[in-house]
Amino acid sequence: MPPSLTAALQEWESLEKEYHQTQESHRLYLQKLDEVSKLQSNCSSSIARQRSRLKDMSQLMKKCNKERLTEEDVKTLDEIKEHIKARPNTFFEMEAFLPKKNGLYLNLVLGNVSVTLLSKQSKFAYKDEYEKFKLYLTVILILFAFMCYFFVSYRFVDAILNFLLVWYYCTLTVRESILISNGSRIKGWWVFHHYVSAFLSGVMLTWPDGYLYQNFRNQFLAFSLYQSMVHCMQYYYQSGCLYRLRTLGERHNMDLTVEGFQSWMWQGLTFLLPFLFFGHFWQLYNGLSLFRMARLPDCKEWQVSMCGISFLILFMGNFLTTVAVVRTKLKSKDQAKPKGQ
Ligand code: COA
């Protein structure tokens, strides 16, 4: 047998061996996948069962209250009530690691495909990538708005900027719905905020060039520039929170403590808040300017009042939600403080 054939046969033998090993590990993988999907449906159905039994349990507890109870019984009931209160949060956290049906929006955009990420690392990585995506797009928007404000004054270039804004906000709504499916606590308002912003940018896109458009153009571009810069600061705050929380979750022997995280978060937040509130009042000012414009006798464009309404909705939602977020954080800070401080 020629030596080249012997070498080829030897190589083929080793290739075959490796092929069988690959087949075996793939078979094992499929078997495990099957086991995982069975476990997933078991967990989902037992969570659903627990939920309905907890509902029944709450009804039972209500009935107990009406009867005469000893002090000991009241204590036991209170303990059970505390447990019942905590359970929905635990189930929410459990469900973040189980596949579930998409909501209406994700179903319309993506179809019925599972978007649940099954490990903590992949959830963090997705969130991290989402924050980075926002940062890169924000930098592009800053450059674009800067160019439009100072150098280029063509309606079609403004239209490109507005189109970019529409695309950016639409993408955010999809990404945020995926994040929420994966257990993120993003408040519904921020998602709704992006729908309103997409609508606003869409209306700006259709606003025909003219005296009124030119009148509002610079104010809008300056606001866009400011908002994008605030978003950059927000990025550093939010990705800082993400990294610190991840470190807190990953390390058992922590040199980063919960208090360390809290004080860092408050420093970041107190720096950020004045800029955020200034941005909110700028939105109010934009809304009021547009309403004043809409009352002019030569104002025929419907876009003026539509943009005005959108800015007012954005102002109210942003302002109220930010105040609510800060209040909740202050409350939890006070609760976390040891008594007497
Ligand atoms: N957009 C998207 N996601 C947001 C968000 C926003 N504006 N604000 C908070 N979130 C997310 C957080 O990343 C977090 O997600 P996670 O559960 O996946 O970790 C979740 O919502 C809960 O966050 P929370 O603890 O309530 O707030 P925070 O400390 O992350 O941020 C603020 C607090 C006030 C800085 C933030 O809500 C904010 O920037 N609000 C103002 C936005 C604004 O007004 N923009 C217009 C500027 S002109």
Side-chain angles (χ1 to χ4, degrees), residues 127 130-131 134 176 179 183-187 189-191 193-194 223 226-227 230-231 234 237-238 241-242 245 265 269 272-273 275-280 283 314 318-319 321-322 325-326 329:
K127 176 84 196 224
Y130 154 84
E131 293 290 354
K134 284 208 294 191
E176 278 161 8
L179 282 171
S184 169
R185 299 153 297 126
I186 299 178
K187 307 253 173 330
W189 162 254
W190 301 126
V191 183
H193 168 275
H194 296 135
F223 173 74
Y226 178 79
Q227 192 180 29
V230 174
H231 282 166
Q234 208 180 321
Y237 166 77
Q238 254 148 355
C241 281
L242 188 70
L245 280 177
M265 186 194 78
L269 205 57
L272 196 58
L273 280 176
F275 292 99
L276 288 176
F277 284 128
F278 184 74
H280 299 163
Q283 282 170 334
L314 287 179
N318 281 344
F319 184 71
T321 315
T322 307
V325 168
V326 175
K329 281 182 189 283

Side-chain angles (χ1 to χ4, degrees), residues 305-320:
S305 41
M306 275 299 132
C307 289
I309 292 171
S310 308
F311 270 119
L312 282 192
I313 295 175
L314 287 179
F315 160 70
M316 281 191 297
N318 281 344
F319 184 71
L320 295 177

